[in-house]
Amino acid sequence: MIGVSDDRPPEDNTADPARKTTPPLRLRTLLIIAAVLFGLDLLTKTIAVANLRPGEPVYLIGDFARFTLVRNPGAAFSMATGMTWLLTLVAAAVVIGVIRIGRTLRSLWWAIGLGMVLGGALGNLVDRLFRAPGPLQGHVVDFVAIGWWPVFNVADSAIVCGAILLVVLTVFGFEPDGTRTGRDADEERAATARPEPPAEPEPERDHPKKDTPNGTGEENAA
């Protein structure tokens, strides 16, 4: 007697749009982006301090683009210069908050944006903790000047660009958990919930004819 195998092929969920795999957690991506930007910020600040002198700019494109060393006690782009200690606490709170959010993050774009904010916040926070004139009062090293724009550094650029990306994601309905809200998401859900068209009826099959004893193949009379 031939045994019947119970092995069944795995179910293919790709054909069913209602069954979608959960996106992976993106904390590692966030931390990698933050680490790269933090290292780049630290490296460029070290080079700037070693090669630039205050009040002696290095011109790159006329007066439009130049390197000039500035010690900034304020926030990004020289804002709030009289609140150094408060900005230090805010930067520390931002770092903690971003890491907490990143533990449940599943959107790649949110991971990129938050990674940029985290890397920039860490870069400036290190300056405020370890540079003169002292802890919580340290001045941030700025060295890039473009046109009329205030002097900034890599960390400032990362924070601003990351914040802009997060605002854009929020406006267009992209959520940190990888889902999307709004009109487009409603249309997508409606499309996936649309009922399938009814199956076409199978064609009728001819009834088999009974063989007569004389082999003519005609049906027997009742």
Side-chain angles (χ1 to χ4, degrees), residues 144-219:
V144 181
I146 304 294
W148 52 268
W149 204 256
V151 184
F152 59 95
N153 55 37
V154 174
D156 296 338
S157 301
I159 293 173
V160 173
C161 293
I164 292 174
L165 177 57
L166 296 180
V167 171
V168 171
L169 293 174
T170 302
V171 170
F172 286 93
F174 292 94
E175 298 294 333
D177 60 359
T179 60
R180 187 177 181 184
T181 59
R183 184 181 63 181
D184 294 340
D186 294 339
E187 292 177 355
E188 181 179 352
R189 284 194 295 267
T192 57
R194 189 175 300 164
E196 298 180 357
E200 297 181 359
E202 297 182 358
E204 297 182 358
R205 299 179 179 178
D206 297 334
H207 296 286
K209 297 181 180 181
K210 298 179 180 180
D211 294 337
T212 56
N214 57 6
T216 57
E218 296 179 355
E219 294 182 352

Side-chain angles (χ1 to χ4, degrees), residues 86-163:
L86 179 59
L87 295 173
T88 305
L89 298 179
V90 170
V94 169
V95 171
I96 296 173
V98 170
I99 293 177
R100 287 177 62 89
I101 295 174
R103 295 173 61 186
T104 59
L105 196 65
R106 295 187 182 275
S107 170
L108 176 60
W109 288 108
W110 271 85
I112 294 174
L114 288 175
M116 296 172 70
V117 173
L118 178 60
L122 284 173
N124 286 340
L125 180 60
V126 167
D127 282 4
R128 300 190 188 284
L129 292 177
F130 298 104
R131 293 191 185 274
L136 300 181
Q137 299 289 334
H139 294 179
V140 175
V141 174
D142 291 335
F143 58 92
V144 181
I146 304 294
W148 52 268
W149 204 256
V151 184
F152 59 95
N153 55 37
V154 174
D156 296 338
S157 301
I159 293 173
V160 173
C161 293

